Amino acid sequence: MAVRISIGDTSFLSQDGESLLDCLSRNGVSVPHSCRSGVCQSCLMQVTAGPAPEAAQIGLKPTLQQQKFVLACQCKSDQDISVAFPGAAGGDLPAVIAGKDRLNHNVLRLYLKPDGDFSCEPGQYLTLINRDGVARSYSVANDPARDGHIELHIRLLKDGLMSGFIEKAGIGEPVTIRGPAGSCFYVRGDGAYPIVLAGTGTGLAPLYGVARQALAHGHTGEIRLLHGALREADLYLVAELQDLALRHPNFHYIPCVLKGEAERFYRAGNIEEITMSILPGDKSRTHLFLCGAPEFVTALKRKAFLGGVASKHIFSDAFLPTKSAPVAA
Ligand SMILES: Cc1cc2nc3c(=O)[nH]c(=O)nc-3n(C[C@H](O)[C@H](O)[C@H](O)COP(=O)(O)OP(=O)(O)OC[C@H]3O[C@@H](n4cnc5c(N)ncnc54)[C@H](O)[C@@H]3O)c2cc1C
Ligand code: FES
């Protein structure tokens, strides 16, 4: 059944089963979006008249749900609705690029200075929106409230819309940030449980944030951080993590290189197998954090659960790539 979607002074008829995102995009209204899977939250919109479909609110904070915010890519309404872009009510905050440095041949560290309070746990992710309306999710590698800035690790992709933009952008470039979202962050509890953090590529960003937060809170349990890379040159922050391990006897840094050589400072081999081999004996108390390539996250989540890690103690963020719009038949 076609329903009427209104935005500002304009309205459109949606096609059968079409999402709010697809209906607006088909009619030339540009909505920031990335994953099209209900994960990244970059397509946030607010329903200003009519009901907000429950399925389009899954994963949103209760305060956003109450204000009838929805994820446009998941929003299929069976009634006429009016919608608006989120603005400040949806958590949009202006920020500027405050600094950049190279971490390796294809990872850039970006520092953002928000214009206002941005509260977030290290390891959560935010949506970064540039002046062209391109929106992408990035995990926060530090504690912005403590440091006064936000640290992100950006993988530079060939023809990457956002990573290409960031690579070229100058200091002071204005951007918008939205969020945070996600449950990959440190919770103190008794402060003594074992923690295993495993990530591939820039999946290190949230894990670096979680590890430093746990250590800052005096976590006494063993913390093992595994960073997986294809080649040695793809590792980054090696010296910083080795230094962290020297300063904290309960922190262990285990770089893993798939195409590595024997007798180097890293373990040569597959990070999934290495992670399973170092899981502590006390698996039921172990908190496991998995971030990075979606195939890696899905596979290791399953193996670790079957291996005895409680599902309530597995926290993960799969870095889903951008999905393009469905092709019209
Ligand atoms: C919850 C979450 C957290 C994330 N956190 C981070 C983070 O901390 N750091 C980070 O770098 N990224 C992170 N991502 C991924 C990020 O949001 C973007 O998808 C990614 O940076 C690509 O954006 P882009 O605009 O540069 O490239 P796009 O313009 O989206 O893509 C350019 C080209 O690269 C291809 N491509 C996209 N992703 C990949 C990939 N993974 N491998 C190979 N080819 C690809 C596309 O198909 C396209 O052809 C996260 C994603 C999610 C969902
Ligand atoms: S949640 Fe809608 S595009 Fe990612």
Side-chain angles (χ1 to χ4, degrees), residues 136-139 153 155 157 160-163 202 319-322:
R136 298 286 184 266
S137 305
Y138 291 103
S139 303
H153 300 171
R155 179 177 168 204
L157 280 164
L161 283 182
M162 183 58 90
S163 54
T202 44
F319 288 6
L320 298 178
T322 315

Side-chain angles (χ1 to χ4, degrees), residues 21 33-43 71-73:
L21 172 63
H33 66 276
S34 180
C35 72
R36 290 180 177 268
S37 308
V39 173
C40 73
Q41 302 195 1
S42 61
C43 62
L71 298 173
C73 69

Side-chain angles (χ1 to χ4, degrees), residues 82-144:
S82 300
V83 296
F85 287 109
D92 281 10
L93 193 65
V96 292
I97 294 184
K100 301 192 278 186
D101 56 35
R102 270 316 252 264
L103 293 173
N104 72 13
H105 66 102
N106 72 346
V107 178
L108 196 146
R109 175 159 46 190
L110 182 71
Y111 297 101
L112 298 175
K113 186 108 182 123
D115 182 9
D117 287 339
F118 179 77
S119 172
C120 152
E121 293 291 336
Q124 287 193 289
Y125 58 89
L126 52 74
T127 301
L128 181 65
I129 306 170
N130 72 9
R131 58 166 79 207
D132 302 322
V134 176
R136 298 286 184 266
S137 305
Y138 291 103
S139 303
V140 177
N142 71 328
D143 181 353

Side-chain angles (χ1 to χ4, degrees), residues 125-311:
Y125 58 89
L126 52 74
T127 301
L128 181 65
I129 306 170
N130 72 9
R131 58 166 79 207
D132 302 322
V134 176
R136 298 286 184 266
S137 305
Y138 291 103
S139 303
V140 177
N142 71 328
D143 181 353
R146 186 186 55 216
D147 299 341
H149 63 256
I150 302 166
E151 174 184 334
L152 308 175
H153 300 171
I154 315 276
R155 179 177 168 204
L156 301 174
L157 280 164
K158 188 172 173 317
D159 302 326
L161 283 182
M162 183 58 90
S163 54
F165 163 83
I166 291 168
E167 196 178 13
K168 289 193 206 102
I171 306 303
E173 170 74 31
V175 291
T176 300
I177 53 177
R178 179 183 297 165
S183 56
C184 259
F185 56 83
Y186 175 69
V187 176
R188 188 155 200 283
D190 66 5
Y193 56 87
I195 297 178
V196 176
L197 308 142
T200 55
T202 44
L204 177 61
L207 306 183
Y208 187 50
V210 172
R212 288 191 294 170
Q213 188 74 341
L215 294 169
H217 280 81
H219 192 88
T220 55
E222 296 295 310
I223 304 172
R224 295 176 177 84
L225 188 155
L226 299 95
H227 185 206
L230 186 61
R231 296 193 171 78
E232 183 179 330
D234 301 326
L235 293 170
Y236 67 87
L237 290 178
V238 174
E240 287 83 346
L241 287 161
Q242 286 173 334
D243 180 57
L244 207 58
L246 280 178
R247 288 188 285 119
H248 298 275
N250 64 327
F251 176 73
H252 312 280
Y253 167 51
I254 309 166
C256 308
V257 177
L258 189 60
K259 297 193 171 173
E261 293 161 17
E263 296 181 27
R264 295 284 295 149
F265 64 92
Y266 53 76
R267 301 259 306 254
N270 181 308
I271 183 175
E272 281 175 41
E273 286 161 20
I274 299 171
T275 306
M276 289 307 292
S277 74
I278 60 92
L279 279 182
D282 192 0
K283 291 194 185 56
S284 64
R285 288 181 70 234
T286 299
H287 287 210
L288 177 65
F289 292 80
L290 304 172
C291 295
E295 318 73 54
F296 157 78
V297 169
T298 308
L300 195 47
K301 216 168 160 177
R302 186 166 178 277
K303 282 185 194 164
F305 172 69
L306 294 175
V309 181
S311 61

Side-chain angles (χ1 to χ4, degrees), residues 56-69:
Q57 296 194 303
I58 293 171
L60 292 182
K61 282 190 255 180
T63 48
L64 293 179
Q65 291 178 346
Q66 278 157 17
Q67 296 174 79
K68 298 210 286 187
F69 280 94

